[in-house]
């Protein structure tokens, strides 16, 4: 058995220091040592190297403490402009681009309305190249390097091969997208399912630190899911695991956007709710197959203000969601199910029926002690998760590049 | 960071040698080295120690090879009587006890008919103590030590705390069973779900070596499941994951033994099939709530020979199973789903409807390339898996005990 080399250990310790600074902000060397179980001497040596590479900076010492006890600690922090990453979120008829700096902060965000369903594979590549190029020209000039790009896509993706297998935002399938963008922009390009980006972001929050087995359900135009097992996204054999939206509520039930019947999504997604309501209720005019936020807000308000038709529609959606969650509890037995996504706007109108369906479906031993909670939605959550994933994935390369640049 | 000590590495290498001998039978030292990436000198040193401890024996050298080339290799093998383990399988109205030797071979098996549902927690403990004690007196005298006991139980168990949380074989719940037996028999007592025992056994077979993400479905009185993710049983937060039998086919559908409605088990288990058939068909007399193998064979034969009522009942069971498997494919995306258990006798009468339901439920991208196969049932499979698990779990202790005995 080979013993671990000192270099590997030095590299791991350096990454640990960088990630602690990113998660916690400016910190003293001694605290970085304690938090990561590294000696003070090692932190001092690592930070000297990172300072020389321009990856961290020292804060000017604080004023002496009023009580006069102890010397003020010198804090170090990540140099935000040492590198940046870009997250591109592709969803139905919208592309969002977000720039994150080396310290993990969002520095720029832009949205573009695009008829994604009319694109072919070449159009999509050309479009992404154009948008990212324009972003590089306008927004990335202050950064020393573009470390990586994360594509966050609704649907089934193979992260390993960089292929979008199937997305509700696209009318074509099996698009190998990562390789071409990586060649064009000379950086690593990660492809991630959008729900996995959000789950990674939420899992890092202190409120969910005791929930290593975490299920995140994303309600919206479609219904997505991410499953973290012991903190790691569960992808299955080919990356198509956790397709909660297409698990079944009623065999041969309502028609789903996937073309099959009875999926949870065919009852609890935005288009399903709007479809059920469009005929009996007077709702804002618009694309009823792809209802807008305004249309969905109007429908949700009707349900929350007691309109019996809207209440019935949301209750049925809650039952479908509840039966689906019951299956998830029986099969995954997670610590926590978090429900979020833009569709969480209607959660209050669904949750009584949802909890009723779960309790009706499972005996107490299988219902277990899993917490089931909703989580306020922020449309930037996906990209914030994508930026965190891209930074973590590219830290090693950034270190190497900085070292090479210094030596050159 | 602490460097791994030489002792840890020596211990791991010793365990690797023992497990290779158990999996492959007698082997030459040089081959044991190659298979485990250990030097010949280390294997020679390890085998000298194991010989001294009585854990392995040398085979008499084979006759020289007919072609005269090469010296015949001396093979070493595990000493079968160096230790034994007992697997106790608890299922509805039956207890099976199996003795496995140190080489992993079954040396004795016995079945007892017991009204498990009338037992209370004390009765169960007393019964298991009696049966294992009697087994020790009659069957274990030739072995140097009882290394461990594996309890394989239908239902939800917490392996960590050694508690049977809920079993269809028992009318009480939350029975902490392992600790008392461990105290009584002075050995480790593992508690495992029966399906996990079978999955561990199947996963070790060469035919499934390329399927690290394996789902095993057990059909029978109840319906169980085991999920291996990257070869490791997936237990969930509290051990109640993979409860496939109680995932839903039809919300508010047929009554399940668990007391809820619409579970897969309420359509495709033995009791569900028999319940649906008992009224319209003339079947062997017996306990229709717990049909015997003979009763189930009679019903299966009717379906396979074209009786339209029996055919319809099995087709409905196949549809329920198919919808359940569709959910498993969407959520777990495994390499392989293996269907086994005593209920696999009726698989031929179910499988057309089952495959139809899966294809009807999922688009091709979510159906994926998962193999779905049945696997012939052998009632000893659970205990064979339990013996393998118990041996693997107790090898370290066996090594320690042998060393202590030698030094004393």
């Amino acid at each position: 058995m080979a013993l671990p080399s000192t270099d590997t250990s030095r590299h791991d310790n350096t990454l640990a220091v960088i990630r602690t600074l990113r998660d916690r902000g400016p910190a003293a060397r001694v605290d970085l040592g304690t938090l990561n179980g590294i000696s003070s001497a090692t932190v001092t040596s690592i930070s000297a190297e990172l300072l020389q590479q321009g990856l961290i900076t020292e804060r000017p010492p604080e004023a002496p403490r009023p009580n006069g006890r102890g010397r003020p600690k010198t804090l170090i922090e990540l140099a935000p402009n040492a590198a940046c990453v870009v997250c591109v979120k592709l969803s139905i008829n919208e592309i969002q681009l977000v720039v994150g700096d080396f310290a993990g902060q969002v520095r720029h965000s832009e949205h573009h309305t695009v008829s994604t369903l009319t694109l072919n594979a070449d159009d999509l590549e050309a479009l992404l190249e154009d948008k990212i190029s324009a972003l590089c020209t306008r927004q990335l000039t202050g950064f020393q390097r573009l470390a990586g790009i994360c594509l966050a896509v609704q649907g089934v993706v193979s992260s390993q091969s960089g292929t979008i297998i199937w997305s509700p935002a696209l009318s074509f399938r099996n698009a190998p997208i990562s390789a071409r963008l990586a060649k064009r922009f000379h950086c690593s390009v990660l492809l991630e399912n959008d729900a996995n980006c959000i789950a990674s972001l939420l899992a890092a929050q202190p409120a969910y630190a005791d929930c290593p087995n975490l299920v995140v359900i994303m309600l919206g135009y479609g219904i997505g899911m991410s499953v973290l097992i012991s903190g790691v996204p569960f992808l299955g054999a080919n990356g198509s695991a956790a397709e909660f939206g297409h698990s079944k509520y009623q065999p041969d039930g309502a028609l789903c956007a996937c073309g099959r019947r009875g999926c949870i999504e065919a009852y609890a997604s935005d288009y399903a709710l709007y479809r059920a309501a469009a005929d009996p209720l007077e709702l804002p005019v618009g694309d009823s197959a792809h209802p807008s936020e305004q249309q969905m807000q109007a429908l949700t308000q009707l349900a929350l203000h007691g309109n019996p038709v809207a209440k019935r529609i949301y209750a049925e959606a809650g039952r479908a969601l509840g039966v689906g969650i019951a299956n998830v509890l029986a099969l995954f037995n997670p610590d926590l199910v978090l429900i979020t996504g833009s569709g969480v706007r209607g959660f209050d109108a669904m949750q009584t029926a949802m909890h009723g369906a779960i309790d009706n479906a499972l005996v107490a031993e299988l219902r277990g002690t899993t917490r089931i909670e909703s989580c306020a939605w922020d449309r930037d959550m996906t990209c914030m998760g994508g930026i965190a994933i891209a930074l973590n994935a590219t830290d090693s390369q950034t270190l190497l590049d900085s070292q090479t640049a210094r030596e050159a």
Side-chain angles (χ1 to χ4, degrees), chain A:
Chain A
M1 261 178 64
L3 299 179
S5 79
T6 315
D7 284 340
T8 310
S9 152
R10 169 75 172 208
H11 182 76
D12 289 349
N13 288 336
T14 306
L15 291 182
V17 166
I18 291 174
R19 279 161 201 174
T20 306
L21 289 171
R22 190 174 290 139
D23 290 346
R24 298 183 161 242
R29 288 171 177 82
V30 59
D31 297 331
L32 289 167
T34 310
L35 285 164
N36 292 293
I38 318 175
S39 72
S40 281
T42 305
V43 176
T44 302
S45 160
I46 286 172
S47 60
E49 204 167 298
L50 291 174
L51 271 168
Q52 249 194 308
Q53 292 171 6
L55 295 178
I56 63 169
T57 56
E58 263 184 355
R59 282 203 167 184
E62 288 167 10
R65 296 183 190 178
N67 63 12
R69 267 184 283 168
R71 200 156 52 102
K73 295 174 183 171
T74 302
L75 303 185
I76 55 176
E77 61 190 329
L78 293 181
N81 291 355
C84 69
V85 292
V86 172
C87 180
V88 182
K89 176 183 159 196
L90 174 67
S91 44
I92 294 177
N93 295 338
E94 188 182 87
I95 290 177
Q96 180 180 10
L97 293 100
V98 171
V99 179
D101 66 24
F102 189 56
Q105 298 304 304
V106 170
R107 293 282 283 271
H108 171 81
S109 174
E110 60 187 50
H111 294 83
H112 301 273
T113 303
V114 176
S115 299
T116 56
L117 288 161
T118 63
L119 302 173
N120 64 29
D122 289 337
D123 295 340
L124 177 69
E125 280 188 11
L127 178 75
L128 293 179
E129 283 195 22
D130 280 1
K131 296 290 180 209
I132 299 170
S133 287
L135 191 77
C136 287
T137 309
R138 283 180 287 103
Q139 303 296 338
L140 307 191
T141 49
F143 294 98
Q144 283 171 39
R145 65 183 61 80
L146 172 61
I149 296 169
C150 177
L151 290 179
V153 178
Q154 251 188 312
V156 180
V157 305
S158 165
S159 298
Q160 215 177 350
S161 70
T163 304
I164 302 173
I165 297 173
W166 173 55
S167 169
L170 300 172
S171 53
F172 57 94
R173 295 176 178 197
N174 298 311
I177 191 81
S178 295
R180 192 162 143 187
L181 292 176
K183 203 174 161 191
R184 168 73 180 76
F185 293 102
H186 310 289
C187 68
S188 70
V189 176
L190 306 168
L191 180 62
E192 291 288 340
N193 170 275
D194 60 344
N196 284 344
C197 291
I198 289 170
S200 294
L201 186 77
L202 292 172
Q205 296 189 1
Y208 310 128
D210 58 342
C211 301
N213 299 297
L214 171 65
V215 166
V216 176
I217 294 175
M218 299 251 300
L219 303 180
Y221 175 79
I223 295 188
M225 184 166 95
S226 175
V227 177
L228 300 189
I229 296 177
S230 303
V232 178
F234 171 60
L235 303 175
N238 315 103
S240 73
E243 277 295 331
F244 175 74
H246 304 287
S247 68
K248 299 293 148 179
Y249 170 48
Q250 289 276 7
D252 302 314
L255 185 65
C256 181
C258 75
R260 297 299 199 252
R261 290 188 168 275
C263 304
I264 309 288
E265 183 174 301
Y267 295 85
S269 67
D270 284 359
Y271 74 79
L273 291 161
Y274 209 82
R275 175 176 66 191
D279 207 34
L281 295 175
E282 271 187 45
L283 293 164
V285 180
D287 179 359
S288 70
H290 297 96
S292 65
E293 184 57 31
Q294 189 211 351
Q295 286 173 300
M296 291 311 301
Q297 285 286 359
L299 177 54
T300 304
Q301 288 308 312
L302 283 176
L304 292 175
H305 288 99
N307 177 295
V309 176
K311 274 177 71 178
R312 184 182 49 71
I313 290 168
Y314 275 86
E316 180 70 356
R319 271 190 295 278
L321 199 55
V323 169
I325 292 174
N327 287 341
V328 166
L329 299 185
L331 294 172
F332 287 101
N333 178 217
D335 296 299
L336 170 66
V337 175
L338 265 184
I339 300 161
T340 187
S342 60
V344 82
R345 70 175 100 71
F347 187 68
D348 282 348
M350 293 184 209
Q351 68 166 318
T352 304
M354 181 196 81
H355 285 295
I358 295 170
D359 293 338
N360 192 38
L362 297 179
V363 290
E365 286 77 8
L366 295 180
R367 165 65 185 80
T369 53
T370 305
R371 286 158 52 193
I372 301 175
E373 297 175 7
S374 66
C375 167
W377 171 243
D378 171 345
R379 70 192 299 209
D380 288 339
M381 274 165 77
T382 312
C383 286
M384 286 163 68
I387 280 171
I389 289 172
L391 284 168
N392 272 342
T394 57
D395 278 335
S396 283
Q397 190 59 46
T398 299
L399 271 173
L400 193 69
D401 290 348
S402 307
Q403 203 159 17
T404 313
R406 188 190 51 161
E407 287 163 6

